[in-house]
Amino acid sequence: MSSSQWVPITAIGNLPLNEGRSLLWQGHDIALFNLGSRVIAVENRCPHQHGPIVDGIVSNVGGRVTVTCPLHTRRICLDSGQIIKPATAGPCVRSFPAKIEDGIVLLRKGLSEAEAA
Amino acid sequence: MKQRLAVIGNGMAGVFTVEQILKHNHNFDITIFGDETHVNYNRILLSSVLAGEKEMDDIVLNDIEWYRANGIQAKLGLRIDKIDVAAKTIHSVHGCTTAFDKLLIATGSSPFLPPIEGIDKQGVFVFRTLDDAKHLLALSGPGVKAVVIGGGLLGLEAARGLQLQGCSVTVLHLGTHLMDRQLDFTGGQFLKRKLESLGIQVLCNASTTAITGNGHVEGLRLANGAEVDANLIVVAAGIKPNAALAKLAGLQVNKGIVVNEYLETSHPDVFAVGECTEFNGQLFGLVAPLWEQGKVLAATITGNRGPVFTGYTPATKLKIMGADVFSAGDFDEQREGVECVRLEDPALGIYKKLILKDNKLEGVILVGDASDDHRFMDWLRNGTDLAAQRRQLLSPAAAAGPGEDAASLPDSHTVCGCNGVSKGAIIEAVHAHGVCTLAQLKDKTRAATGCGSCAGLCQSLLKAVAPDYAEEKAKVLCECVPFTQDQLREIIRSQKLKGVQEVLDIYGNGLGCEVCKPALSYLVDVVWQGGHNEDRSARFINDRVHANIQKDGTFSVIPRMRGGITSPAELRKIADVAEKYNVPLVKVTGSQRIDLLGVKKQDLPKIWEDLGMRSGQGYTKGVRMVKTCVGSTFCRFGTQDAISTGVELERRLEDLFTPHKTKLAVVGCPRNCAEATVKDIGLIGQEGNWQIVVGGAAGKGVRKADLLITVETTEEALEAASLFFQYYREHGVYLERTYDFVERLGMEKVRRETVYATDAAKQGLLDRLKRSKDRASDAWLERHNPRPFQFEPIEVAPNGLVQIETEEKAHV
Ligand code: SRM
Ligand SMILES: Cc1cc2nc3c(=O)[nH]c(=O)nc-3n(C[C@H](O)[C@H](O)[C@H](O)COP(=O)(O)OP(=O)(O)OC[C@H]3O[C@@H](n4cnc5c(N)ncnc54)[C@H](O)[C@@H]3O)c2cc1C
Ligand code: SF4
Ligand code: FES
């Protein structure tokens, strides 16, 4: 995939450290999390009852970076999208490729459902 | 690429070595692991802490600022239990793994516990760490019979400390004379007489065969059949290097971790310093040689391998005022070719002895006057030729210091001095009333409710005699920071930590979770009375946006409406706002105020602006409302002015945070129309007085509030409420409502420590409340300067980018 498909979104400084900020982009409600060394973009929708996970507290569960949904404290692994506490086999939070380059947060453009899966 | 240097042991030698490394041009990322929760402190001065000469804060060597300023990661309260030298990782007992390039082991040593029968009984202590000192301080006091096993340096300093705390103290020493590794027989006798004149009893040739007592110590049995009474025992029978970790890792270990003259271990990337090491068969128990080791190792590890460690000349100084002892070098006078120069003055208690060989000093002992120890140490170190000074070797001989007052040794068996509770009364409470927790004991006998210093002793007594003794469980906050909230308060205070992240970095896993972060946010706020560093990422969303999140991700807005009082103008404003922002629901709440529900996050600051009202804190663990009834203003039964009193109470406490939400009410008569008897704090007006009730609730459960006090004036009523409020803030566990809080502590204690406390204690509570209040402000003032990124989502135009410019960073 060529780098031209990466779209600059915002300066990393616009994302508070260890917090989430929401982004409306290409029809998606996305939660961007600034973890200091990297940025993570996931769908802003908790698999439980659609809570806004962007408003959750960034946490650590057994060494995994998670976010805790503010509504009913499901803990969601930010790397796998899985609810890991309470452990559930159910649906995942969808994640989007994101990276930081020269202090700018980039997302990949034209992402179809198939690519994301 | 920086190299990772991990240091195990945050003690004197390890941190000193790191200080030396910093002086070199180094290339390390340094992480220090220590299983004590304290920053590096001067262990030597623990004796002074126990003797009451120094406060704990006085003995800090490197405070948190030092670690931070030097880019050193401190991981405290964390014990390392495994080193994998092949994988180059170390592992903590909590299961976290850290990789290293170079490893420095500085684990010190541990007290040696001789295999005496009963040594595991309650009431037997060692004296090595600040926590040990704290425990001993808490348990010692008049009436306590303390026995120290071991008449070496450490044992004697412990003995003196305990005695200064009021204990009656006996030292049991196995050898023929005290400090037998540093003194000859005569020196030991002089020292013994000195200590006895200070009021410490000394038994030599005393071999302890058993510690007796039923659970808790009651005494000791000696080899000669003698019995000694004791309710507190300190074992100071020597130390053994903490080398097990290294041994398990496969490093070469004898008694200590074997190091060469460069302080290298048997593995090329692993080094060791301090009391855990063994060099040329020599072990260490004093800091001076460790400083030498630290300097050498700093050179070795930074690529300047050259300086070597050559061992040391032992030199000891006993730090007991009025019982000066100094000893250095080899004082064996039986050796071939040595001469002995001595001075003995039994009346002054002074004994001095020099051992010379070929006009050079080889050893020295000073008892009773060690004022010129430096001179002797110089001669010893430098090998000075003393031929010219033979006539003045022992002069100038200074006079002995003024005699120490022997502390009085009361003969009573009182356990709690403040309330005059005897051991007998405690045992009676256990047997006759089935008391089995400290809280129950306090309620029943008042023991440990004064200064509290006997609480440990009471607890030990309970353990020993109560069949159902239940230790009040200290629950750790969470796995991320495995300490109780009491410990965390103490850590935050003593280590001067002002932010959540600092606590997590140093005492936790560095990240935290939704359980500990909000709790720590509360703790740093209350400990620093609002002077903490606010960290929004550690707050629940409600506290980031000062509104309550709803099931659909919108928010509710409840403005403050003190005492439930509003006005036509205010109502009009609320109506306008509701229309302007299409608020889906306007509702009168169960707490006498108005709720705007279903508000979008980005509208919040604008709504606050348009309302121009204060935040009602309906979203946080803080002061909710003070409900009021109309009281004497309109009601024909009203005896007190409930409205103005309620409004004033709310004004005094609003904007402050509490362990859980705090709801209050003021009613004008016992008909209780605003439900004050089921509030966290309620004021109930009566003819000529106010009743202040606390710990009530009508939520998940219903609990009628307990009477705190009855007072005459409104001002007294407001003060009583404030005292309880601040006391709850300082002692409540995060997420503990007052109804659990008063049950946990017992109303007896709550009353005694609030409304019936000493004037000074009450003033302290009020002062701290005032400081917090002075720093607190209405959260909705943030509308004037909303925190960047907090409310607005990022928007990206379909074709390109916006906001590449960083948004305004400043936020006050
Ligand atoms: C809005 C309100 C109901 C109403 O429409 O009247 C309300 C709404 C909520 N209450 Fe309440 N309580 C409200 C008055 C009460 C009262 C009555 C009172 O304050 O006199 C009580 C009983 C008194 C008490 O607290 O002891 C009450 C007992 C609770 C409890 C149970 C507390 C307990 O420990 O027993 C909870 C749950 C909790 O705190 O853990 C709770 C929690 C909640 C939360 C905050 C649930 C949540 O975390 O989201 C509700 C927010 C709804 C929302 O979407 O905004 N609410 N809640 C009232 C707001 C009062 C205000 O003006 O601030
Ligand atoms: C009361 C008292 C009085 C003293 N008075 C004198 C005196 O007057 N003069 C004098 O020269 N010396 C004195 N000493 C001795 C002196 O304090 C020690 O020589 C010195 O502290 C040793 O330094 P160290 O770094 O080797 O060990 P320590 O200072 O004990 O440091 C080692 C640290 O490593 C920690 N640790 C151990 N294992 C682990 C692990 N697995 N994981 C994480 N952390 C670990 C320990 O808890 C400790 O904090 C005294 C000692 C005491 C207790
Ligand atoms: S009673 Fe239950 S449903 Fe009603 S507001 Fe309170 S918490 Fe929500
Ligand atoms: S919606 Fe996320 S936990 Fe319920």
Side-chain angles (χ1 to χ4, degrees):
Chain A
M1 201 153 289
S2 81
S3 67
S4 63
Q5 283 170 292
W6 287 96
V7 177
I9 299 297
T10 188
I12 184 71
N14 290 327
L15 303 182
L17 183 63
N18 288 329
E19 280 180 59
R21 189 166 178 198
S22 63
L23 161 74
L24 298 170
W25 192 63
Q26 302 198 331
H28 297 285
D29 182 2
I30 292 174
L32 287 173
F33 290 94
N34 175 2
L35 302 180
S37 56
R38 60 196 178 117
V39 65
I40 290 184
V42 295
E43 184 187 16
N44 184 21
R45 192 175 135 110
C46 175
H48 177 230
Q49 288 181 12
H50 308 162
I53 57 176
V54 70
D55 285 336
I57 291 182
V58 173
S59 308
N60 172 50
V61 179
R64 291 209 260 178
V65 179
T66 61
V67 65
T68 307
C69 177
L71 293 195
H72 317 100
T73 64
R74 299 292 189 279
R75 284 170 167 178
I76 298 153
C77 173
L78 282 175
D79 287 306
S80 70
Q82 202 85 43
I83 293 183
I84 59 172
K85 202 171 173 188
T88 10
C92 278
V93 172
R94 180 181 162 187
S95 56
F96 298 88
K99 63 179 181 183
I100 314 176
E101 243 169 42
D102 300 330
I104 304 296
V105 178
L106 306 168
L107 291 188
R108 211 153 65 197
K109 195 177 166 180
L111 193 77
S112 72
E113 287 295 329
E115 274 176 289
Chain B
M1 181 66 186
K2 282 207 166 189
Q3 290 218 310
R4 292 160 301 184
L5 171 63
V7 181
I8 308 177
N10 185 46
M12 297 189 74
V15 178
F16 177 82
T17 306
V18 170
E19 283 180 354
Q20 297 305 308
I21 291 175
L22 294 176
K23 291 187 179 163
H24 286 79
N25 190 3
H26 74 91
N27 183 35
F28 288 119
D29 257 338
I30 304 175
T31 307
I32 305 182
F33 297 85
D35 61 357
E36 294 182 68
T37 55
H38 308 277
V39 292
N40 180 38
Y41 60 88
N42 190 339
R43 197 172 302 286
I44 295 174
L45 291 181
L46 288 180
S47 305
S48 308
V49 171
L50 187 61
E53 294 156 9
K54 288 232 166 4
E55 293 295 320
M56 302 197 188
D57 285 353
D58 297 341
I59 67 167
V60 169
L61 288 172
N62 302 81
D63 61 11
I64 283 294
E65 199 40 55
W66 175 84
Y67 292 85
R68 199 180 298 131
N70 290 293
I72 294 166
Q73 274 227 49
K75 291 279 183 191
L76 304 184
L78 191 71
R79 187 166 175 79
I80 301 300
D81 66 349
K82 192 179 153 211
I83 302 170
D84 186 336
V85 284
K88 287 206 173 178
T89 51
I90 56 179
H91 304 261
S92 81
V93 288
H94 302 316
C96 90
T97 300
T98 309
F100 63 83
D101 298 306
K102 304 261 184 223
L103 177 67
L104 170 55
I105 306 177
T107 45
S109 54
S110 298
F112 167 68
L113 289 178
I116 298 173
E117 181 194 329
I119 199 152
D120 52 351
K121 286 196 196 305
Q122 274 127 29
V124 181
F125 293 87
V126 294
F127 184 32
R128 175 77 192 178
T129 65
L130 193 49
D131 287 341
D132 293 335
K134 274 191 197 168
H135 288 142
L136 290 175
L137 275 174
L139 291 182
S140 54
V144 174
K145 289 194 183 130
V147 167
V148 176
I149 299 180
L153 176 104
L154 191 62
L156 296 181
E157 292 187 0
R160 178 58 167 162
L162 291 170
Q163 187 225 5
L164 286 173
Q165 297 301 327
C167 305
S168 73
V169 181
T170 306
V171 175
L172 301 180
H173 186 58
L174 188 59
T176 53
H177 60 276
L178 292 176
M179 292 183 71
D180 45 4
R181 285 193 295 145
Q182 292 92 8
L183 296 181
D184 61 1
F185 185 77
T186 314
Q189 291 301 101
F190 267 77
L191 177 59
K192 178 167 183 274
R193 277 200 295 278
K194 197 84 207 177
L195 291 170
E196 282 166 346
S197 77
L198 293 176
I200 295 171
Q201 213 193 331
V202 178
L203 297 180
C204 291
N205 301 308
S207 164
T208 309
T209 53
I211 294 174
T212 58
N214 183 8
H216 192 276
V217 297
E218 284 165 19
L220 303 96
R221 199 171 307 121
L222 306 186
N224 64 7
E227 307 247 341
V228 182
D229 278 355
N231 35 38
L232 177 72
I233 294 177
V234 176
V235 182
I239 53 175
K240 55 174 196 317
N242 289 328
L245 198 58
K247 187 161 194 170
L248 213 68
L251 299 172
Q252 194 194 339
V253 170
N254 283 337
K255 280 185 175 145
I257 304 170
V258 175
V259 290
N260 65 12
E261 65 272 40
Y262 300 103
L263 283 311
E264 295 160 335
T265 68
S266 57
H267 188 281
D269 291 313
V270 182
F271 306 82
V273 281
E275 285 185 353
C276 60
T277 63
E278 176 174 334
F279 172 75
N280 263 347
Q282 206 170 35
L283 294 173
F284 304 89
L286 297 165
V287 292
L290 310 184
W291 297 160
E292 294 309 315
Q293 288 189 337
K295 288 180 199 159
V296 170
L297 178 52
T300 309
I301 206 168
T302 54
N304 300 296
R305 194 171 188 265
V308 291
F309 178 66
T310 53
Y312 75 114
T313 314
T316 309
K317 202 167 172 157
L318 183 68
K319 305 185 296 298
I320 294 184
M321 250 204 288
D324 297 330
V325 172
F326 176 76
S327 155
D330 187 346
F331 52 83
D332 179 6
E333 60 190 285
Q334 311 300 330
R335 285 175 297 145
E336 187 81 4
V338 299
E339 301 170 272
C340 174
V341 179
R342 64 164 89 216
L343 166 90
E344 276 182 55
D345 189 333
L348 289 176
I350 293 176
Y351 174 68
K352 298 186 175 192
K353 171 166 148 179
L354 304 182
I355 297 293
L356 302 167
K357 193 176 179 194
D358 304 329
N359 273 328
K360 288 186 181 148
L361 188 63
E362 294 234 308
V364 52
I365 289 174
L366 308 173
V367 179
D369 171 24
S371 53
D372 42 2
D373 60 335
H374 288 293
R375 197 159 56 111
F376 300 121
M377 202 58 209
D378 280 350
W379 290 348
L380 203 59
R381 271 211 203 93
N382 303 332
T384 313
D385 187 334
L386 300 171
Q389 313 182 46
R390 285 298 293 248
R391 278 171 181 281
Q392 292 98 29
L393 278 184
L394 284 172
S395 53
E404 274 282 307
D405 285 342
S408 56
L409 299 171
D411 205 6
S412 96
H413 291 260
T414 307
V415 173
C416 174
C418 302
N419 297 301
V421 186
S422 67
K423 182 174 165 184
I426 291 175
I427 291 171
E428 154 86 13
V430 171
H431 291 324
H433 304 284
V435 161
C436 54
T437 67
L438 187 59
Q440 291 168 351
L441 183 69
K442 288 175 174 179
D443 259 8
K444 203 85 233 158
T445 65
R446 291 182 148 260
T449 57
C451 68
S453 65
C454 63
L457 187 58
C458 289
Q459 210 132 23
S460 315
L461 264 173
L462 273 173
K463 265 189 207 159
V465 294
D468 308 319
Y469 174 78
E471 200 158 356
E472 276 102 321
K473 270 200 221 72
K475 240 186 100 225
V476 300
L477 175 54
C478 85
E479 285 165 16
C480 310
V481 256
F483 299 96
T484 66
Q485 293 195 31
D486 278 344
Q487 287 173 319
L488 286 167
R489 274 180 217 263
E490 174 59 20
I491 284 172
I492 289 167
R493 191 197 61 76
S494 65
Q495 310 302 311
K496 310 212 165 28
L497 302 176
K498 301 229 162 154
V500 174
Q501 195 57 49
E502 291 169 68
V503 183
L504 288 172
D505 281 343
I506 301 166
Y507 294 95
N509 64 7
L511 202 48
C513 71
E514 84 284 352
V515 175
C516 55
K517 281 177 169 179
L520 289 171
S521 298
Y522 173 71
L523 291 175
V524 293
D525 174 16
V526 77
V527 169
W528 298 111
Q529 293 144 32
H532 63 294
N533 299 329
E534 176 66 20
D535 176 357
R536 286 290 163 81
S537 72
R539 295 279 191 187
F540 185 57
I541 184 65
N542 286 11
D543 282 299
R544 287 188 224 157
V545 300
H546 315 304
N548 195 82
I549 193 163
Q550 323 261 292
K551 59 186 287 188
D552 60 354
T554 62
F555 291 85
S556 68
V557 172
I558 306 181
R560 196 166 285 289
M561 212 170 253
R562 289 182 190 139
I565 307 300
T566 182
S567 67
E570 205 166 73
L571 290 170
R572 213 169 275 128
K573 250 190 313 196
I574 293 173
D576 288 344
V577 164
E579 280 180 355
K580 178 168 169 192
Y581 294 93
N582 295 317
V583 173
L585 180 70
V586 183
K587 182 180 181 302
V588 174
T589 73
S591 299
Q592 297 187 338
R593 36 202 209 167
I594 294 173
D595 196 352
L596 304 172
L597 296 116
V599 171
K600 289 202 254 341
K601 199 202 244 175
Q602 54 267 47
D603 286 340
L604 288 168
K606 289 176 267 179
I607 289 190
W608 302 337
E609 182 67 55
D610 288 357
L611 284 172
M613 294 170 75
R614 304 179 74 94
S615 155
Q617 283 179 289
Y619 46 81
T620 192
K621 311 301 174 214
V623 176
R624 296 291 169 90
M625 75 304 178
V626 181
K627 264 170 126 162
T628 67
C629 71
V630 286
S632 60
T633 317
F634 282 99
C635 177
R636 65 201 160 108
F637 296 116
T639 57
Q640 297 282 3
D641 184 352
I643 293 181
S644 68
T645 306
V647 169
E648 176 61 15
L649 185 59
E650 189 160 349
R651 199 191 54 74
R652 289 194 191 182
L653 305 183
E654 68 195 7
D655 301 331
L656 291 169
F657 296 96
T658 40
H660 206 305
K661 56 191 171 190
T662 306
K663 300 181 168 187
L664 305 89
V666 181
V667 293
C669 87
R671 288 174 189 76
N672 195 27
C673 296
E675 302 157 340
T677 53
V678 286
K679 287 286 169 273
D680 296 292
I681 303 178
L683 269 55
I684 303 167
Q686 315 197 93
E687 202 56 65
N689 65 45
W690 288 99
Q691 278 189 343
I692 288 78
V693 295
V694 297
K700 285 182 261 200
V702 182
R703 182 179 193 278
K704 186 174 185 294
D706 292 313
L707 180 65
L708 182 69
I709 192 173
T710 305
V711 295
E712 281 180 17
T713 67
T714 303
E715 187 49 43
E716 287 171 311
L718 292 169
E719 180 179 300
S722 301
L723 287 171
F724 175 78
F725 177 77
Q726 179 66 11
Y727 183 73
Y728 168 51
R729 275 165 43 88
E730 292 180 8
H731 297 275
V733 172
Y734 188 68
L735 294 189
E736 178 181 47
R737 282 288 290 268
T738 60
Y739 53 74
D740 284 330
F741 177 69
V742 298
E743 295 241 328
R744 178 167 63 89
L745 270 61
M747 273 310 288
E748 183 91 344
K749 177 184 168 83
V750 170
R751 279 187 210 110
R752 214 166 23 243
E753 298 191 354
T754 57
V755 288
Y756 295 118
T758 60
D759 286 346
K762 286 200 270 192
Q763 198 53 50
L765 284 167
L766 295 175
D767 288 346
R768 292 191 292 278
L769 174 62
K770 177 162 191 309
R771 260 198 299 279
S772 290
K773 179 73 183 171
D774 288 346
R775 291 203 183 106
S777 61
D778 169 21
W780 289 357
L781 288 176
E782 242 171 59
R783 60 180 174 258
H784 299 315
N785 183 14
R787 180 171 179 252
F789 351 110
Q790 192 66 79
F791 299 98
E792 302 280 344
I794 297 177
E795 277 177 42
V796 180
N799 57 340
L801 38 140
V802 281
Q803 287 194 358
I804 292 304
E805 291 295 303
T806 304
E807 291 169 30
E808 172 202 13
K809 275 235 177 69
H811 172 72
V812 267

